[in-house]
Each structure stands twice: as structure tokens, then as C-alpha cells.
Amino acid sequence: MSTNNNSSTRQRVIFAGTPEFAAISLKALIEQQNELNIEIVAVYTQPDRKAGRGQKLTASPVKQLALEHNLPVEQPLTFKKSVEEGLAARETLANYKPDVMVVAAYGLILPMGVLETPTYGCLNIHASLLPRWRGAAPIHRALLAGDAQTGITIMQMDKGLDTGDMLYKASYDIAADETTESLHDKMADMGADAIVEVLKDLPKYQTQAQKQDDSLATYAEKLSKAEGEIDWTQSAAHIERQIRGMHPYPGAYTFLADPEGNSEPKRVKVLAALPVNASQTTVVEPGTVISVGKNAILVACGKEDAEAEGTTLRLTKLQFAGSKPVTAEQVCHGSQLDDGDKFVAAPE
């Protein structure tokens, strides 16, 4: 893009996004409009949704930020040309005469007619190193898979699901204690830096664009709450990644069996665990609470492989049904959990 700061030659940018991840990039673009020689002419976001205990209609983080800066906000339900509302949305978009559209976690499918409307097309800020983890939940999936590295890709959008040519990539080494929450925040900041870098000279990056190798593609499907249930026959390493990858949403959980067998197992959220101690093994049945200590609650898990002994995991933070989160030390001083108790599968 031009680096001339004459306002008459400013590139007209539309931003499309919904959650906090996208708002971080929008904020960076708002703050650097002069340096980038751009004008944000409109912001597109999902319609307001009911949220919170009161189920009040709530504007998305992107909309809230746009309104704070007096930017026009559009919230179409669809861009499908087969319906009147979709046609109207396309016409409105075209009337903004955009040079480029920046998309980050928007949540609405953009047909080719929309992708081709801006002069320079549509750029997507994607939280993975494409072609790995195309799709809705790349941050979760990278952690769950135990990836050592992830990052941000700025991609030229096409009709496929995150299949477009790559303009820019920035990598990040995943820390051993990374959760989805902490990694999300790092990716949001990196995404903002990346899109700013690309918009400094978009024609150059588009000229140097690289095609994705489809044979290396993996897909990051949206998570379901059911994926949060812990299977204690899995290895401690697998379960520890699950706890981090599910935090804060949808959350990892298990069920505590009644030692007397008089009532149904009760749901327990597992909020945090320590890194796996590979030297600590056990022959105790998976799901058994080996010890309740001040620093951690030691639980038996499954084997790494057929030849190995069972593994163990040290839980540090739990939340019992109807109660607030508690640390291992609080559990140790309480009566919710004892040595020999058993975590089990969901009751049928």
C-alpha cells in the first residue's frame, strides 16, 4: 500500500471481526491509521447476542470498540445473494468502495462475490501456521495436539476454508504451561502486529504470496463440551494437555464416585495441573486418587504405551459442583476428597 500520508490517497479499509481476538487487531489499525495511510471506513461484526446471567443483548468486543471510535458498524445476517438481505448487504459493502477488507474471527461465511469486492481482496488473520490447523479452533487444537510451535498467518482469502495464499507468517514457541487463555492473548497481539506489517506494503506481500501445501493440511474443528471429559485411561501427558487446551472454555471435567455407592458420581471441573513427572509411575487403576497433598492431588492415569507402567498427574486446582474453585491445599484441609477416592466416567 502507498506510504504517502496525503489523506486523499488513503487506502479504504473495512474490518470484519467479532471477539476480543479480532478487537486487538482493530485497535492496532485504528491507532496506526496515519502511519499506515489507511482509513477504516466501516466495521463488520456479528449481530448482538444474548449474554450473561441476565441474557441481555450484548454487542461484540469489536462493535464496542468501533462505537468508541465513531466508526460505522454493519451487522448483516448473511451475504448470500439468494436472499434479499444478502443482496442488500453486498450492495452496502460495495458502496463503501473498499480497497481491502481485513477479517479476523468474523464468524460469517464470505462468498466469492464479497471476497472480490475490495480492490486488494480480503485478508484473514489466522491463529496458526497454515496449512496446519485450518478452521475454527486452531489455538485449542495446537495445545491439545502437543504442538511445540504455532503462530499467525496472514492469508489472502479464497472460496476454501483457510486455503488461500499465505502473505506473512510469524511463529511462536508454545510454553510448557501454556493454556488456551494465555496462548489466545499472545496470538491476538501477534495477529495485530502481523496485519500492521502487511498493510505497510500490501502489494509487495501479495506479489510474494505462497500457496499452501494441501497435503500438509490439518483441520481445527470447533470444540464440543463433551471433549472436556477426562478419560483417565489416557496418559498423564495427554490429560495434562487436555486441561490446558480446554482452559477456560469449554473446560476439562471428570466425575467423583461416591465411595459408599449411595449416590450418582458428582461432576468436578479440573482447572489446573502441574507438568507431568515422567519418573513417577503407578500400577493403581486409572482415576484413583493416590494422595491428597498440600501442593498437589496425585491421580493415577493410563500408560504411555503397552510396555510402560501407568502414569500419574498432579492436580492443583479443582471446582466441585456448586462450589468455588479450590487449590490442592484447600482440598487437603477440607473433606471433599480423600486418598483412594475414584474419578470415573460420566454416569449413563
Side-chain angles (χ1 to χ4, degrees):
M1 282 187 167
S2 170
T3 55
N4 183 351
N5 283 325
N6 184 334
S7 61
S8 65
T9 63
R10 286 195 176 199
Q11 303 291 336
R12 296 173 64 81
V13 174
I14 284 180
F15 186 91
T18 299
E20 184 63 28
F21 176 87
I24 299 299
S25 288
L26 175 58
K27 184 172 185 289
L29 296 182
I30 290 171
E31 292 174 347
Q32 299 187 58
Q33 286 184 92
N34 288 337
E35 293 86 342
L36 294 172
N37 194 33
I38 64 172
E39 178 187 0
I40 300 171
V41 295
V43 172
Y44 278 68
T45 190
Q46 285 280 300
D48 297 359
R49 308 287 191 206
K50 291 182 179 179
R53 290 186 177 181
Q55 287 294 286
K56 293 182 180 179
L57 275 179
T58 304
S60 73
V62 163
K63 180 179 178 179
Q64 293 178 41
L65 181 62
L67 293 178
E68 287 173 16
H69 292 272
N70 299 311
L71 295 172
V73 174
E74 302 289 347
Q75 296 175 277
L77 292 172
T78 181
F79 283 103
K80 292 180 180 178
K81 62 182 180 181
S82 58
V83 296
E84 189 173 330
E85 185 172 359
L87 283 172
R90 290 189 184 207
E91 185 178 353
T92 299
L93 179 68
N95 287 339
Y96 281 113
K97 296 180 172 54
D99 290 300
V100 66
M101 186 171 181
V102 174
V103 182
Y106 181 24
L108 198 63
I109 294 174
L110 302 181
M112 282 305 299
V114 171
L115 299 180
E116 293 172 347
T117 296
T119 306
Y120 290 93
C122 298
L123 311 180
N124 180 241
I125 306 169
H126 188 76
S128 81
L129 297 175
L130 291 171
R132 186 162 178 79
W133 302 131
R134 296 171 177 173
I139 295 174
H140 292 86
R141 296 299 176 189
L143 285 176
L144 292 172
D147 289 359
Q149 193 176 66
T150 188
I152 290 290
T153 303
I154 305 298
M155 174 196 68
Q156 189 79 44
M157 296 178 71
D158 63 14
K159 63 181 179 180
L161 176 63
D162 300 328
T163 56
D165 292 351
M166 302 176 293
L167 308 188
Y168 182 91
K169 295 174 90 168
S171 61
Y172 172 77
D173 293 333
I174 298 175
D177 61 350
E178 206 82 68
T179 66
T180 289
E181 183 174 45
S182 64
L183 188 55
H184 166 279
D185 293 349
K186 292 183 177 77
M187 292 297 99
D189 289 340
M190 286 182 63
D193 291 342
I195 193 61
V196 166
E197 180 63 30
V198 169
L199 290 182
K200 286 178 181 177
D201 194 347
L202 180 55
K204 180 192 80 170
Y205 285 105
Q206 288 183 324
T207 300
Q208 298 173 357
Q210 293 183 328
K211 291 193 176 299
Q212 296 187 41
D213 184 345
D214 291 341
S215 69
L216 300 176
T218 58
Y219 290 88
E221 295 180 9
K222 186 177 180 180
L223 272 77
S224 67
K225 289 185 179 180
E227 288 184 79
E229 183 177 358
I230 294 172
D231 174 3
W232 294 99
T233 65
Q234 297 281 352
S235 70
H238 175 97
I239 297 170
E240 190 268 342
R241 290 197 305 269
Q242 181 182 12
I243 293 166
R244 290 188 289 110
M246 294 286 172
H247 181 78
Y249 180 87
Y253 62 92
T254 186
F255 292 85
L256 178 62
D258 179 1
E260 307 299 326
N262 296 324
S263 60
E264 289 285 307
K266 294 181 179 178
R267 185 179 173 114
V268 180
K269 293 181 181 178
V270 182
L271 303 178
L274 293 172
V276 173
N277 184 344
S279 65
Q280 199 161 20
T281 60
T282 183
V283 294
V284 177
E285 186 178 355
T288 302
V289 177
I290 299 172
S291 65
V292 180
K294 290 183 179 179
N295 296 322
I297 299 153
L298 191 65
V299 183
C301 306
K303 301 178 179 182
E304 288 285 0
D305 56 62
E307 304 301 320
E309 286 190 301
T311 53
T312 59
L313 186 61
R314 296 167 293 167
L315 309 182
T316 57
K317 197 171 186 180
L318 302 174
Q319 185 173 4
F320 295 87
S323 303
K324 295 180 179 180
V326 286
T327 63
E329 184 172 5
Q330 289 172 317
V331 174
C332 186
H333 292 313
S335 58
Q336 300 120 312
L337 204 58
D338 292 311
D339 295 0
D341 282 351
K342 189 80 181 291
F343 290 125
V344 297
E348 295 182 0

